[in-house]
Amino acid sequence: MRRPVATRRTQTALAGLAAGLVLLAGCSSSSSKPAAPSGSSAGSTASSGASSGAPAAAAFGVRPSIQVPAGQPDGKLGVKVKIPGDGAKVTDGSAVVLQYTAKLWRDGSDLGSSYDQGQHPVTAVEGQGQMLPGWEQGLKGQAAGSRVELTVPPALGFGAKGSTDGKITITGTDTIIFDLDIVGVYPSAQADIPAGTGVLNDPTLPTVGTAVGTADPKVTIPAGKQPPAGAVYKPVIVGKGPQVKKGQTLVVQYEGLVWRTGQIFDSSFSKGKSIFATPIGVGAVVQGWDEGLIGQTVGSRVLLVIPPDKGYGAQGQPSAGIQGTDTMVFVVDILDAR
């Protein structure tokens, strides 16, 4: 899933490779569009014997330290639950939010982690070919709140052609060890907040629809009105869940518009209602998101009116049609925070 324009930090070469770790196994082929994996490669039988032996006491939600075992990998998919969770289980069609850490078996090279500064959890749908085959096979049936270690052989990873991004190279014979923290499991990528009564009634602000589910937020900028001078953060629907706290992983759907033009520049709703996950309150997204979403409740639809000084500043975001003087308008549905 493409990250929203609200993200503050740019991707490093390492993060670019990390995106490949999550996307279709076909990203290691020469095709410009990844091919869905067959999941039937030889040697794909799950085995609990190939494990990094990392201390099981490491806390869920903290970057794990992966230790590469002695000897050579056996060519099979290794699956080990290091921390058992008790949440919803991953099934075909589930949308999953994951924190990952990865190492090469060959030499112990660190392939990075979504816990690293400026990175984000990843989201994907189980059984839709959106992840490496080893991830899809190893995650099925696992519960939210679990840390699962996967030892992924080439046939279930990047295949015979491997992958290269920046200074990091995965060869066609490389086995990769992953520790995956399953942050959340949702029935589908189309999950949304419960329907609720609209509470926002301010003619100086954009109007926002309260229909949820398959509908988009239907945002209308007030004609002929200038945006407020400062930031405005107001709920459209008040959810009944817990309050969002600084440092949590926030799971949302969102739509972003430019006040000046009324045009949408990014939306998970128009991309098949794909969910997005991010750390909140730690500078991973623009200041307006960090300020406006902390303290809101899970299950809320929130309007964020973000002036340039809490968005992209004087430089704007030209690739998205956002000028340095533009106020951004976001509608964010808060699906989860943990």
Side-chain angles (χ1 to χ4, degrees):
M1 180 183 103
R2 184 168 58 89
R3 286 185 168 85
V5 170
T7 348
R8 178 180 296 278
R9 304 179 193 278
T10 56
Q11 293 258 340
T12 62
L14 178 60
L17 177 60
L21 297 175
V22 180
L23 298 174
L24 304 177
C27 67
S28 61
S29 72
S30 59
S31 172
S32 61
K33 291 186 178 180
S38 67
S40 60
S41 302
S44 63
T45 304
S47 166
S48 61
S51 169
S52 74
F60 183 92
V62 177
R63 192 191 203 276
S65 177
I66 298 176
Q67 299 175 4
V68 178
Q72 297 300 312
D74 59 12
K76 298 179 180 179
L77 175 65
V79 181
K80 179 181 179 181
V81 178
K82 298 171 72 173
I83 300 174
D86 58 4
K89 292 188 176 180
V90 179
T91 60
D92 282 344
S94 295
V96 294
V97 177
L98 304 165
Q99 298 276 19
Y100 69 88
T101 302
K103 267 193 177 184
L104 281 182
W105 182 304
R106 166 170 45 90
D107 59 7
S109 295
D110 186 357
L111 297 181
S113 173
S114 59
Y115 286 114
D116 293 342
Q117 185 176 13
Q119 303 309 312
H120 290 256
V122 296
T123 61
V125 178
E126 172 72 18
Q128 300 295 312
Q130 295 180 1
M131 299 182 281
L132 297 175
W135 282 34
E136 293 220 333
Q137 293 183 24
L139 288 172
K140 187 174 290 186
Q142 306 292 351
S146 299
R147 172 169 292 172
V148 181
E149 182 177 272
L150 301 180
T151 302
V152 179
L156 297 179
F158 287 93
K161 292 188 177 180
S163 181
T164 300
D165 193 292
K167 297 180 180 179
I168 297 174
T169 297
I170 298 172
T171 72
T173 60
D174 273 331
T175 290
I176 307 173
I177 302 171
F178 295 96
D179 271 9
L180 303 179
D181 285 358
I182 306 175
V183 176
V185 178
Y186 309 94
S188 72
Q190 285 72 44
D192 208 337
I193 64 172
T197 303
V199 298
L200 180 62
N201 184 18
D202 187 336
T204 68
L205 295 176
T207 59
V208 182
T210 56
V212 298
T214 58
D216 67 25
K218 293 183 171 58
V219 182
T220 303
I221 308 295
K225 293 188 180 296
Q226 293 298 311
V232 176
Y233 314 129
K234 291 191 174 183
V236 179
I237 298 171
V238 177
K240 297 180 180 179
Q243 286 188 323
V244 175
K245 298 177 181 178
K246 179 179 178 179
Q248 287 187 313
T249 295
L250 202 62
V251 181
V252 304
Q253 289 169 347
Y254 65 90
E255 185 160 280
L257 304 89
V258 176
W259 183 297
R260 173 176 51 85
T261 63
Q263 296 299 305
I264 295 170
F265 59 81
D266 197 21
S267 175
S268 67
F269 294 92
S270 63
K271 293 181 285 191
K273 290 180 69 69
S274 52
I275 61 177
F276 173 69
T278 182
I280 197 70
V282 294
V285 287
V286 293
Q287 186 178 348
W289 274 47
D290 276 345
E291 291 182 354
L293 296 177
I294 290 175
Q296 305 289 352
T297 54
V298 173
S300 294
R301 171 169 287 180
V302 183
L303 173 70
L304 307 176
V305 180
I306 302 176
D309 65 322
K310 295 186 184 295
Y312 285 101
Q315 75 274 14
Q317 190 81 348
S319 62
I322 300 172
Q323 298 178 3
T325 56
D326 275 334
T327 290
M328 297 187 293
V329 176
F330 279 96
V331 174
V332 181
D333 286 2
I334 305 175
L335 308 182
D336 200 2
R338 59 180 72 201

